[in-house]
Amino acid sequence: MTTILVTGGTGFIGSHTTVALQQAGYHVLILDNLSNSSVQVLDAIATITGTRPEFIQGDIRDAALLDSLFAAQPVSAVLHFAGLKAVGESVAMPLAYYDNNVHGSVQLLQAMQRAQVRTLVFSSSATVYGDPQALPLTEDHPRSATNPYGHTKLVVEDILENLHASEAGWRIARLRYFNPVGAHPSGLIGEAPQGVPNNLMPYVAQVATGQRERVQVFGNDYNTPDGTGVRDYIHVTDLADGHVHALQYCLQARQDLLTVNLGTGVGYSVLDMIRAFEQASGKTIAYDIVGRRTGDIAACWADTELAYEKLGWRARKTIQDMCDDAWRWESK
Ligand code: NAD
Ligand code: WQD
């Protein structure tokens, strides 16, 4: 069996991608420091797929650990999810973000280089597009960052480009995710943010369960159909499937540096998402319109043609699927 190292594999997107990889016939080895996830995810994955992924609790910044891991068994490719992802926290703790996301990625790449493992799929983000100059966002849209988190993604994207140009043999995919939401349809794995959720959908889900009282809708005076922010929400299992396609592309391609959007190509507003969640949960989601959140953009959605052309992949699930599955997970 082909072994894939999944850093951050007990996290939200990594766990769903582990399921998809196992179901596609890969052997998965997870490396995660459990800073934002729980070891119980491994049991849930085993229940879904029948196979418990191999797991090492450790940090991507631990070079000796990485060397021993690569020495112990042949790894064909690395899917690199590990990192910190909260925009507000990155403003308050920039050094932690540069250390985890940039220094951590460099440590991982150096260990891969030593082990001659040169196939990598990297979790980038639509945040690298900054405030869109035109929609839908194509991969050649100029990049910018308005916060330290976004900056770490820009820097790692650049490091990967430099590395790819410097040495033959690297096969790298930089995947720019739009807004991943939802959960596995089994309800066994999903998004489990610590503390007050930063993102819209986990917050809405917690209002539906009664853990929180009301959603604050950040602004209804944007230039969008109902005035609230518009985003390209993508079901996390569609995203996971996109990773399997990207991995297969890399394993087949000779020496490519692939950069693609993973989104649906369709934008929905905050109020659309609240209504879809009401439908899914049968609950009324109370909300207040409040002022805009600093740094937010009005609207953002992906051009999905390059992903389809290169990977033969498209997202399939609707916002109702996303909300139904998120509700199944949340209500468990
Ligand atoms: P997550 O926090 O659920 O998962 C990240 C995992 O990495 C966690 O399990 C955490 O414990 C682990 N981790 C963090 N730092 C580590 C380190 N130094 N060593 C080892 N493990 C470490 O986040 P997610 O939503 O699954 O995001 C995965 C990746 O996708 C991240 O790189 C994130 O920036 C990127 N991304 C996420 C979104 C989103 O909205 N969720 C959007 C675009 C890009
Ligand atoms: C979605 C919409 C908010 C919360 C963030 C990161 C981005 C990427 C995905 C990693 C916006 C509105 C939100 C709330 C609200 N992550 N909202 N009330 O900001 O598009 O993207 O996550 O790469 O980098 O910035 O996602 O879910 O926070 O917000 O009204 O309590 O919901 O204003 O219009 P965002 P989000």
PDB file of all heavy atoms in Angstrom, residues 8 10-14 31-37 58-61 80-85 100 123-125 149 153 177-178 180 191 199, ligand 1:
ATOM      1  N   GLY A   8      -1.405  17.262  10.635  1.00  0.00           N
ATOM      2  CA  GLY A   8      -2.687  17.888  11.014  1.00  0.00           C
ATOM      3  C   GLY A   8      -3.872  16.990  10.705  1.00  0.00           C
ATOM      4  O   GLY A   8      -4.992  17.464  10.532  1.00  0.00           O
ATOM      5  N   THR A  10      -5.655  14.925  12.464  1.00  0.00           N
ATOM      6  CA  THR A  10      -6.801  14.784  13.366  1.00  0.00           C
ATOM      7  C   THR A  10      -7.661  16.053  13.376  1.00  0.00           C
ATOM      8  O   THR A  10      -8.691  16.095  14.039  1.00  0.00           O
ATOM      9  CB  THR A  10      -6.358  14.431  14.811  1.00  0.00           C
ATOM     10  OG1 THR A  10      -5.242  15.259  15.160  1.00  0.00           O
ATOM     11  CG2 THR A  10      -5.945  12.977  14.910  1.00  0.00           C
ATOM     12  N   GLY A  11      -7.244  17.083  12.630  1.00  0.00           N
ATOM     13  CA  GLY A  11      -8.019  18.324  12.546  1.00  0.00           C
ATOM     14  C   GLY A  11      -9.233  18.179  11.629  1.00  0.00           C
ATOM     15  O   GLY A  11      -9.531  17.092  11.116  1.00  0.00           O
ATOM     16  N   PHE A  12      -9.910  19.297  11.452  1.00  0.00           N
ATOM     17  CA  PHE A  12     -11.181  19.304  10.705  1.00  0.00           C
ATOM     18  C   PHE A  12     -11.000  18.778   9.268  1.00  0.00           C
ATOM     19  O   PHE A  12     -11.574  17.746   8.889  1.00  0.00           O
ATOM     20  CB  PHE A  12     -11.725  20.746  10.718  1.00  0.00           C
ATOM     21  CG  PHE A  12     -12.948  20.991   9.881  1.00  0.00           C
ATOM     22  CD1 PHE A  12     -14.020  20.109   9.893  1.00  0.00           C
ATOM     23  CD2 PHE A  12     -13.040  22.142   9.086  1.00  0.00           C
ATOM     24  CE1 PHE A  12     -15.162  20.361   9.137  1.00  0.00           C
ATOM     25  CE2 PHE A  12     -14.173  22.401   8.336  1.00  0.00           C
ATOM     26  CZ  PHE A  12     -15.230  21.508   8.353  1.00  0.00           C
ATOM     27  N   ILE A  13     -10.180  19.427   8.482  1.00  0.00           N
ATOM     28  CA  ILE A  13     -10.068  19.031   7.067  1.00  0.00           C
ATOM     29  C   ILE A  13      -9.205  17.765   6.943  1.00  0.00           C
ATOM     30  O   ILE A  13      -9.504  16.867   6.145  1.00  0.00           O
ATOM     31  CB  ILE A  13      -9.505  20.194   6.224  1.00  0.00           C
ATOM     32  CG1 ILE A  13     -10.372  21.448   6.416  1.00  0.00           C
ATOM     33  CG2 ILE A  13      -9.464  19.821   4.743  1.00  0.00           C
ATOM     34  CD1 ILE A  13      -9.787  22.722   5.835  1.00  0.00           C
ATOM     35  N   GLY A  14      -8.157  17.672   7.773  1.00  0.00           N
ATOM     36  CA  GLY A  14      -7.276  16.499   7.720  1.00  0.00           C
ATOM     37  C   GLY A  14      -8.003  15.200   8.036  1.00  0.00           C
ATOM     38  O   GLY A  14      -7.737  14.159   7.416  1.00  0.00           O
ATOM     39  N   LEU A  31       0.501  12.758  11.554  1.00  0.00           N
ATOM     40  CA  LEU A  31       1.350  13.444  12.537  1.00  0.00           C
ATOM     41  C   LEU A  31       0.588  14.688  12.991  1.00  0.00           C
ATOM     42  O   LEU A  31       0.266  15.551  12.162  1.00  0.00           O
ATOM     43  CB  LEU A  31       2.681  13.854  11.902  1.00  0.00           C
ATOM     44  CG  LEU A  31       3.582  14.727  12.803  1.00  0.00           C
ATOM     45  CD1 LEU A  31       4.087  13.952  14.005  1.00  0.00           C
ATOM     46  CD2 LEU A  31       4.763  15.278  11.995  1.00  0.00           C
ATOM     47  N   ASP A  32       0.285  14.755  14.289  1.00  0.00           N
ATOM     48  CA  ASP A  32      -0.471  15.910  14.798  1.00  0.00           C
ATOM     49  C   ASP A  32      -0.058  16.129  16.251  1.00  0.00           C
ATOM     50  O   ASP A  32       0.113  15.167  17.002  1.00  0.00           O
ATOM     51  CB  ASP A  32      -1.984  15.634  14.702  1.00  0.00           C
ATOM     52  CG  ASP A  32      -2.822  16.900  14.772  1.00  0.00           C
ATOM     53  OD1 ASP A  32      -2.726  17.642  15.779  1.00  0.00           O
ATOM     54  OD2 ASP A  32      -3.576  17.162  13.820  1.00  0.00           O
ATOM     55  N   ASN A  33       0.076  17.392  16.634  1.00  0.00           N
ATOM     56  CA  ASN A  33       0.450  17.675  18.035  1.00  0.00           C
ATOM     57  C   ASN A  33      -0.777  17.847  18.932  1.00  0.00           C
ATOM     58  O   ASN A  33      -0.626  18.151  20.114  1.00  0.00           O
ATOM     59  CB  ASN A  33       1.380  18.895  18.123  1.00  0.00           C
ATOM     60  CG  ASN A  33       0.692  20.196  17.715  1.00  0.00           C
ATOM     61  OD1 ASN A  33      -0.506  20.218  17.437  1.00  0.00           O
ATOM     62  ND2 ASN A  33       1.455  21.273  17.675  1.00  0.00           N
ATOM     63  N   LEU A  34      -1.959  17.663  18.367  1.00  0.00           N
ATOM     64  CA  LEU A  34      -3.231  17.731  19.105  1.00  0.00           C
ATOM     65  C   LEU A  34      -3.458  19.102  19.747  1.00  0.00           C
ATOM     66  O   LEU A  34      -4.210  19.225  20.706  1.00  0.00           O
ATOM     67  CB  LEU A  34      -3.329  16.611  20.163  1.00  0.00           C
ATOM     68  CG  LEU A  34      -3.244  15.181  19.613  1.00  0.00           C
ATOM     69  CD1 LEU A  34      -3.331  14.158  20.762  1.00  0.00           C
ATOM     70  CD2 LEU A  34      -4.366  14.904  18.604  1.00  0.00           C
ATOM     71  N   SER A  35      -2.818  20.149  19.198  1.00  0.00           N
ATOM     72  CA  SER A  35      -3.032  21.485  19.759  1.00  0.00           C
ATOM     73  C   SER A  35      -4.441  21.990  19.468  1.00  0.00           C
ATOM     74  O   SER A  35      -4.962  22.836  20.183  1.00  0.00           O
ATOM     75  CB  SER A  35      -1.998  22.479  19.217  1.00  0.00           C
ATOM     76  OG  SER A  35      -2.090  22.571  17.811  1.00  0.00           O
ATOM     77  N   ASN A  36      -5.070  21.472  18.407  1.00  0.00           N
ATOM     78  CA  ASN A  36      -6.434  21.925  18.090  1.00  0.00           C
ATOM     79  C   ASN A  36      -7.317  20.753  17.662  1.00  0.00           C
ATOM     80  O   ASN A  36      -8.190  20.913  16.804  1.00  0.00           O
ATOM     81  CB  ASN A  36      -6.391  22.997  16.996  1.00  0.00           C
ATOM     82  CG  ASN A  36      -7.698  23.783  16.924  1.00  0.00           C
ATOM     83  OD1 ASN A  36      -8.329  24.044  17.948  1.00  0.00           O
ATOM     84  ND2 ASN A  36      -8.117  24.139  15.729  1.00  0.00           N
ATOM     85  N   SER A  37      -7.058  19.575  18.226  1.00  0.00           N
ATOM     86  CA  SER A  37      -7.875  18.414  17.862  1.00  0.00           C
ATOM     87  C   SER A  37      -7.731  17.362  18.955  1.00  0.00           C
ATOM     88  O   SER A  37      -6.917  17.514  19.859  1.00  0.00           O
ATOM     89  CB  SER A  37      -7.445  17.848  16.510  1.00  0.00           C
ATOM     90  OG  SER A  37      -6.056  17.553  16.533  1.00  0.00           O
ATOM     91  N   GLY A  58       2.986  14.431  17.640  1.00  0.00           N
ATOM     92  CA  GLY A  58       4.234  15.177  17.576  1.00  0.00           C
ATOM     93  C   GLY A  58       4.063  16.421  16.744  1.00  0.00           C
ATOM     94  O   GLY A  58       2.991  16.681  16.176  1.00  0.00           O
ATOM     95  N   ASP A  59       5.151  17.169  16.669  1.00  0.00           N
ATOM     96  CA  ASP A  59       5.096  18.502  16.088  1.00  0.00           C
ATOM     97  C   ASP A  59       5.911  18.548  14.788  1.00  0.00           C
ATOM     98  O   ASP A  59       7.003  17.974  14.718  1.00  0.00           O
ATOM     99  CB  ASP A  59       5.684  19.497  17.109  1.00  0.00           C
ATOM    100  CG  ASP A  59       5.271  20.909  16.813  1.00  0.00           C
ATOM    101  OD1 ASP A  59       5.747  21.479  15.805  1.00  0.00           O
ATOM    102  OD2 ASP A  59       4.458  21.460  17.582  1.00  0.00           O
ATOM    103  N   ILE A  60       5.391  19.255  13.814  1.00  0.00           N
ATOM    104  CA  ILE A  60       6.118  19.375  12.538  1.00  0.00           C
ATOM    105  C   ILE A  60       7.430  20.149  12.687  1.00  0.00           C
ATOM    106  O   ILE A  60       8.276  20.112  11.803  1.00  0.00           O
ATOM    107  CB  ILE A  60       5.268  20.029  11.425  1.00  0.00           C
ATOM    108  CG1 ILE A  60       4.697  21.387  11.882  1.00  0.00           C
ATOM    109  CG2 ILE A  60       4.143  19.100  10.979  1.00  0.00           C
ATOM    110  CD1 ILE A  60       4.128  22.223  10.748  1.00  0.00           C
ATOM    111  N   ARG A  61       7.593  20.844  13.818  1.00  0.00           N
ATOM    112  CA  ARG A  61       8.855  21.585  14.027  1.00  0.00           C
ATOM    113  C   ARG A  61       9.932  20.719  14.674  1.00  0.00           C
ATOM    114  O   ARG A  61      11.037  21.200  14.917  1.00  0.00           O
ATOM    115  CB  ARG A  61       8.587  22.823  14.899  1.00  0.00           C
ATOM    116  CG  ARG A  61       7.708  23.851  14.183  1.00  0.00           C
ATOM    117  CD  ARG A  61       7.114  24.846  15.152  1.00  0.00           C
ATOM    118  NE  ARG A  61       6.156  24.201  16.041  1.00  0.00           N
ATOM    119  CZ  ARG A  61       5.430  24.836  16.958  1.00  0.00           C
ATOM    120  NH1 ARG A  61       5.550  26.140  17.098  1.00  0.00           N
ATOM    121  NH2 ARG A  61       4.580  24.177  17.719  1.00  0.00           N
ATOM    122  N   HIS A  80      -0.081  18.315   3.764  1.00  0.00           N
ATOM    123  CA  HIS A  80       0.343  19.171   4.883  1.00  0.00           C
ATOM    124  C   HIS A  80      -0.759  20.143   5.303  1.00  0.00           C
ATOM    125  O   HIS A  80      -0.915  21.224   4.740  1.00  0.00           O
ATOM    126  CB  HIS A  80       1.606  19.923   4.455  1.00  0.00           C
ATOM    127  CG  HIS A  80       2.119  20.886   5.469  1.00  0.00           C
ATOM    128  ND1 HIS A  80       1.981  20.714   6.823  1.00  0.00           N
ATOM    129  CD2 HIS A  80       2.795  22.063   5.317  1.00  0.00           C
ATOM    130  CE1 HIS A  80       2.520  21.738   7.458  1.00  0.00           C
ATOM    131  NE2 HIS A  80       3.011  22.568   6.571  1.00  0.00           N
ATOM    132  N   PHE A  81      -1.515  19.711   6.342  1.00  0.00           N
ATOM    133  CA  PHE A  81      -2.607  20.527   6.901  1.00  0.00           C
ATOM    134  C   PHE A  81      -2.195  21.244   8.179  1.00  0.00           C
ATOM    135  O   PHE A  81      -2.870  22.192   8.588  1.00  0.00           O
ATOM    136  CB  PHE A  81      -3.803  19.636   7.278  1.00  0.00           C
ATOM    137  CG  PHE A  81      -4.456  18.925   6.127  1.00  0.00           C
ATOM    138  CD1 PHE A  81      -4.108  17.612   5.810  1.00  0.00           C
ATOM    139  CD2 PHE A  81      -5.413  19.556   5.355  1.00  0.00           C
ATOM    140  CE1 PHE A  81      -4.718  16.953   4.758  1.00  0.00           C
ATOM    141  CE2 PHE A  81      -6.027  18.905   4.301  1.00  0.00           C
ATOM    142  CZ  PHE A  81      -5.672  17.598   3.995  1.00  0.00           C
ATOM    143  N   ALA A  82      -1.164  20.737   8.872  1.00  0.00           N
ATOM    144  CA  ALA A  82      -0.866  21.238  10.225  1.00  0.00           C
ATOM    145  C   ALA A  82      -0.570  22.726  10.197  1.00  0.00           C
ATOM    146  O   ALA A  82       0.212  23.206   9.373  1.00  0.00           O
ATOM    147  CB  ALA A  82       0.321  20.475  10.810  1.00  0.00           C
ATOM    148  N   GLY A  83      -1.181  23.442  11.127  1.00  0.00           N
ATOM    149  CA  GLY A  83      -0.937  24.874  11.224  1.00  0.00           C
ATOM    150  C   GLY A  83      -2.007  25.524  12.067  1.00  0.00           C
ATOM    151  O   GLY A  83      -2.975  24.881  12.469  1.00  0.00           O
ATOM    152  N   LEU A  84      -1.798  26.800  12.316  1.00  0.00           N
ATOM    153  CA  LEU A  84      -2.790  27.594  13.055  1.00  0.00           C
ATOM    154  C   LEU A  84      -3.592  28.403  12.036  1.00  0.00           C
ATOM    155  O   LEU A  84      -3.057  28.812  11.006  1.00  0.00           O
ATOM    156  CB  LEU A  84      -2.075  28.530  14.040  1.00  0.00           C
ATOM    157  CG  LEU A  84      -1.143  27.844  15.047  1.00  0.00           C
ATOM    158  CD1 LEU A  84      -0.468  28.881  15.955  1.00  0.00           C
ATOM    159  CD2 LEU A  84      -1.892  26.816  15.889  1.00  0.00           C
ATOM    160  N   LYS A  85      -4.881  28.662  12.341  1.00  0.00           N
ATOM    161  CA  LYS A  85      -5.744  29.200  11.270  1.00  0.00           C
ATOM    162  C   LYS A  85      -6.679  30.329  11.678  1.00  0.00           C
ATOM    163  O   LYS A  85      -7.552  30.703  10.891  1.00  0.00           O
ATOM    164  CB  LYS A  85      -6.573  28.059  10.681  1.00  0.00           C
ATOM    165  CG  LYS A  85      -7.519  27.437  11.703  1.00  0.00           C
ATOM    166  CD  LYS A  85      -8.588  26.592  11.053  1.00  0.00           C
ATOM    167  CE  LYS A  85      -9.525  26.019  12.101  1.00  0.00           C
ATOM    168  NZ  LYS A  85     -10.600  25.221  11.583  1.00  0.00           N
ATOM    169  N   ASN A 100       4.652  28.351  13.723  1.00  0.00           N
ATOM    170  CA  ASN A 100       3.939  27.126  13.345  1.00  0.00           C
ATOM    171  C   ASN A 100       3.837  26.963  11.835  1.00  0.00           C
ATOM    172  O   ASN A 100       4.121  25.904  11.300  1.00  0.00           O
ATOM    173  CB  ASN A 100       2.511  27.161  13.894  1.00  0.00           C
ATOM    174  CG  ASN A 100       2.340  26.319  15.125  1.00  0.00           C
ATOM    175  OD1 ASN A 100       2.115  25.123  15.037  1.00  0.00           O
ATOM    176  ND2 ASN A 100       2.497  26.952  16.261  1.00  0.00           N
ATOM    177  N   SER A 123      -2.078  22.957   2.106  1.00  0.00           N
ATOM    178  CA  SER A 123      -3.319  23.679   2.416  1.00  0.00           C
ATOM    179  C   SER A 123      -3.082  25.171   2.341  1.00  0.00           C
ATOM    180  O   SER A 123      -2.662  25.787   3.320  1.00  0.00           O
ATOM    181  CB  SER A 123      -3.762  23.376   3.851  1.00  0.00           C
ATOM    182  OG  SER A 123      -3.988  22.020   4.060  1.00  0.00           O
ATOM    183  N   SER A 124      -3.379  25.772   1.191  1.00  0.00           N
ATOM    184  CA  SER A 124      -3.383  27.222   1.143  1.00  0.00           C
ATOM    185  C   SER A 124      -4.827  27.695   1.284  1.00  0.00           C
ATOM    186  O   SER A 124      -5.708  26.915   1.677  1.00  0.00           O
ATOM    187  CB  SER A 124      -2.718  27.732  -0.141  1.00  0.00           C
ATOM    188  OG  SER A 124      -2.564  29.139  -0.043  1.00  0.00           O
ATOM    189  N   SER A 125      -5.072  28.938   0.999  1.00  0.00           N
ATOM    190  CA  SER A 125      -6.377  29.511   1.331  1.00  0.00           C
ATOM    191  C   SER A 125      -6.733  30.614   0.345  1.00  0.00           C
ATOM    192  O   SER A 125      -5.850  31.327  -0.166  1.00  0.00           O
ATOM    193  CB  SER A 125      -6.287  30.105   2.736  1.00  0.00           C
ATOM    194  OG  SER A 125      -7.400  30.916   3.019  1.00  0.00           O
ATOM    195  N   TYR A 149      -1.960  35.674   9.582  1.00  0.00           N
ATOM    196  CA  TYR A 149      -2.324  34.331   9.108  1.00  0.00           C
ATOM    197  C   TYR A 149      -2.219  34.265   7.580  1.00  0.00           C
ATOM    198  O   TYR A 149      -1.585  33.366   7.015  1.00  0.00           O
ATOM    199  CB  TYR A 149      -3.749  33.954   9.563  1.00  0.00           C
ATOM    200  CG  TYR A 149      -4.285  32.750   8.818  1.00  0.00           C
ATOM    201  CD1 TYR A 149      -3.790  31.481   9.086  1.00  0.00           C
ATOM    202  CD2 TYR A 149      -5.246  32.886   7.810  1.00  0.00           C
ATOM    203  CE1 TYR A 149      -4.241  30.371   8.382  1.00  0.00           C
ATOM    204  CE2 TYR A 149      -5.706  31.789   7.109  1.00  0.00           C
ATOM    205  CZ  TYR A 149      -5.201  30.536   7.394  1.00  0.00           C
ATOM    206  OH  TYR A 149      -5.641  29.450   6.679  1.00  0.00           O
ATOM    207  N   LYS A 153       0.411  32.114   4.721  1.00  0.00           N
ATOM    208  CA  LYS A 153       0.041  31.303   3.542  1.00  0.00           C
ATOM    209  C   LYS A 153       0.766  31.819   2.299  1.00  0.00           C
ATOM    210  O   LYS A 153       1.257  31.038   1.481  1.00  0.00           O
ATOM    211  CB  LYS A 153      -1.480  31.322   3.340  1.00  0.00           C
ATOM    212  CG  LYS A 153      -2.254  30.602   4.422  1.00  0.00           C
ATOM    213  CD  LYS A 153      -1.982  29.105   4.442  1.00  0.00           C
ATOM    214  CE  LYS A 153      -2.650  28.397   5.599  1.00  0.00           C
ATOM    215  NZ  LYS A 153      -2.226  27.004   5.783  1.00  0.00           N
ATOM    216  N   TYR A 177      -8.271  26.777  -0.543  1.00  0.00           N
ATOM    217  CA  TYR A 177      -9.638  26.456  -0.119  1.00  0.00           C
ATOM    218  C   TYR A 177     -10.434  27.735   0.040  1.00  0.00           C
ATOM    219  O   TYR A 177      -9.933  28.709   0.583  1.00  0.00           O
ATOM    220  CB  TYR A 177      -9.687  25.768   1.241  1.00  0.00           C
ATOM    221  CG  TYR A 177      -8.701  24.676   1.522  1.00  0.00           C
ATOM    222  CD1 TYR A 177      -8.322  24.417   2.834  1.00  0.00           C
ATOM    223  CD2 TYR A 177      -8.161  23.883   0.513  1.00  0.00           C
ATOM    224  CE1 TYR A 177      -7.439  23.409   3.141  1.00  0.00           C
ATOM    225  CE2 TYR A 177      -7.273  22.877   0.813  1.00  0.00           C
ATOM    226  CZ  TYR A 177      -6.902  22.651   2.127  1.00  0.00           C
ATOM    227  OH  TYR A 177      -6.023  21.660   2.439  1.00  0.00           O
ATOM    228  N   PHE A 178     -11.711  27.655  -0.293  1.00  0.00           N
ATOM    229  CA  PHE A 178     -12.621  28.763  -0.003  1.00  0.00           C
ATOM    230  C   PHE A 178     -13.168  28.553   1.429  1.00  0.00           C
ATOM    231  O   PHE A 178     -12.371  28.521   2.353  1.00  0.00           O
ATOM    232  CB  PHE A 178     -13.624  28.927  -1.152  1.00  0.00           C
ATOM    233  CG  PHE A 178     -12.936  29.687  -2.287  1.00  0.00           C
ATOM    234  CD1 PHE A 178     -11.871  29.114  -2.989  1.00  0.00           C
ATOM    235  CD2 PHE A 178     -13.247  31.006  -2.548  1.00  0.00           C
ATOM    236  CE1 PHE A 178     -11.154  29.852  -3.941  1.00  0.00           C
ATOM    237  CE2 PHE A 178     -12.543  31.745  -3.506  1.00  0.00           C
ATOM    238  CZ  PHE A 178     -11.509  31.164  -4.188  1.00  0.00           C
ATOM    239  N   PRO A 180     -14.546  26.055   3.924  1.00  0.00           N
ATOM    240  CA  PRO A 180     -14.932  24.670   4.213  1.00  0.00           C
ATOM    241  C   PRO A 180     -15.911  24.607   5.385  1.00  0.00           C
ATOM    242  O   PRO A 180     -15.663  25.211   6.434  1.00  0.00           O
ATOM    243  CB  PRO A 180     -13.604  24.000   4.618  1.00  0.00           C
ATOM    244  CG  PRO A 180     -12.524  24.968   4.265  1.00  0.00           C
ATOM    245  CD  PRO A 180     -13.137  26.327   4.275  1.00  0.00           C
ATOM    246  N   GLU A 191     -16.364  19.647  12.633  1.00  0.00           N
ATOM    247  CA  GLU A 191     -15.539  20.761  13.100  1.00  0.00           C
ATOM    248  C   GLU A 191     -15.814  20.984  14.586  1.00  0.00           C
ATOM    249  O   GLU A 191     -16.969  21.103  14.982  1.00  0.00           O
ATOM    250  CB  GLU A 191     -15.911  22.019  12.291  1.00  0.00           C
ATOM    251  CG  GLU A 191     -14.973  23.167  12.493  1.00  0.00           C
ATOM    252  CD  GLU A 191     -15.233  24.312  11.510  1.00  0.00           C
ATOM    253  OE1 GLU A 191     -16.256  24.281  10.780  1.00  0.00           O
ATOM    254  OE2 GLU A 191     -14.405  25.238  11.477  1.00  0.00           O
ATOM    255  N   ASN A 199     -15.647  31.386  13.030  1.00  0.00           N
ATOM    256  CA  ASN A 199     -16.277  31.271  11.712  1.00  0.00           C
ATOM    257  C   ASN A 199     -17.799  31.191  11.837  1.00  0.00           C
ATOM    258  O   ASN A 199     -18.336  30.768  12.856  1.00  0.00           O
ATOM    259  CB  ASN A 199     -15.747  30.047  10.963  1.00  0.00           C
ATOM    260  CG  ASN A 199     -14.265  30.192  10.647  1.00  0.00           C
ATOM    261  OD1 ASN A 199     -13.448  29.461  11.186  1.00  0.00           O
ATOM    262  ND2 ASN A 199     -13.921  31.159   9.813  1.00  0.00           N
TER     263      ASN A 199
HETATM  264  P1  NAD B   1      -7.619  22.413  12.310  1.00  0.00           P
HETATM  265  O1  NAD B   1      -7.090  23.313  13.370  1.00  0.00           O
HETATM  266  O2  NAD B   1      -8.880  21.679  12.576  1.00  0.00           O
HETATM  267  O3  NAD B   1      -6.498  21.336  11.930  1.00  0.00           O
HETATM  268  C1  NAD B   1      -5.112  21.619  11.987  1.00  0.00           C
HETATM  269  C2  NAD B   1      -4.455  20.483  12.763  1.00  0.00           C
HETATM  270  O4  NAD B   1      -3.044  20.726  12.818  1.00  0.00           O
HETATM  271  C3  NAD B   1      -4.948  20.349  14.186  1.00  0.00           C
HETATM  272  O5  NAD B   1      -5.315  19.005  14.436  1.00  0.00           O
HETATM  273  C4  NAD B   1      -3.748  20.766  15.049  1.00  0.00           C
HETATM  274  O6  NAD B   1      -3.701  20.043  16.273  1.00  0.00           O
HETATM  275  C5  NAD B   1      -2.590  20.444  14.128  1.00  0.00           C
HETATM  276  N1  NAD B   1      -1.373  21.247  14.329  1.00  0.00           N
HETATM  277  C6  NAD B   1      -1.286  22.602  14.422  1.00  0.00           C
HETATM  278  N2  NAD B   1      -0.003  22.979  14.537  1.00  0.00           N
HETATM  279  C7  NAD B   1       0.746  21.828  14.496  1.00  0.00           C
HETATM  280  C8  NAD B   1       2.125  21.559  14.564  1.00  0.00           C
HETATM  281  N3  NAD B   1       3.011  22.544  14.712  1.00  0.00           N
HETATM  282  N4  NAD B   1       2.540  20.265  14.485  1.00  0.00           N
HETATM  283  C9  NAD B   1       1.656  19.270  14.355  1.00  0.00           C
HETATM  284  N5  NAD B   1       0.325  19.466  14.289  1.00  0.00           N
HETATM  285  C10 NAD B   1      -0.126  20.735  14.353  1.00  0.00           C
HETATM  286  O7  NAD B   1      -7.726  23.281  10.987  1.00  0.00           O
HETATM  287  P2  NAD B   1      -8.395  22.902   9.576  1.00  0.00           P
HETATM  288  O8  NAD B   1      -9.588  23.751   9.406  1.00  0.00           O
HETATM  289  O9  NAD B   1      -8.503  21.449   9.427  1.00  0.00           O
HETATM  290  O10 NAD B   1      -7.279  23.485   8.594  1.00  0.00           O
HETATM  291  C11 NAD B   1      -6.280  22.674   8.029  1.00  0.00           C
HETATM  292  C12 NAD B   1      -5.397  23.518   7.131  1.00  0.00           C
HETATM  293  O11 NAD B   1      -6.189  24.118   6.127  1.00  0.00           O
HETATM  294  C13 NAD B   1      -4.680  24.658   7.853  1.00  0.00           C
HETATM  295  O12 NAD B   1      -3.375  24.770   7.309  1.00  0.00           O
HETATM  296  C14 NAD B   1      -5.509  25.865   7.505  1.00  0.00           C
HETATM  297  O13 NAD B   1      -4.752  27.054   7.514  1.00  0.00           O
HETATM  298  C15 NAD B   1      -5.967  25.520   6.100  1.00  0.00           C
HETATM  299  N6  NAD B   1      -7.205  26.200   5.716  1.00  0.00           N
HETATM  300  C16 NAD B   1      -8.316  26.084   6.507  1.00  0.00           C
HETATM  301  C17 NAD B   1      -9.497  26.747   6.156  1.00  0.00           C
HETATM  302  C18 NAD B   1     -10.722  26.679   7.027  1.00  0.00           C
HETATM  303  O14 NAD B   1     -11.565  27.566   6.924  1.00  0.00           O
HETATM  304  N7  NAD B   1     -10.886  25.671   7.884  1.00  0.00           N
HETATM  305  C19 NAD B   1      -9.529  27.503   4.976  1.00  0.00           C
HETATM  306  C20 NAD B   1      -8.382  27.586   4.185  1.00  0.00           C
HETATM  307  C21 NAD B   1      -7.219  26.933   4.578  1.00  0.00           C
END
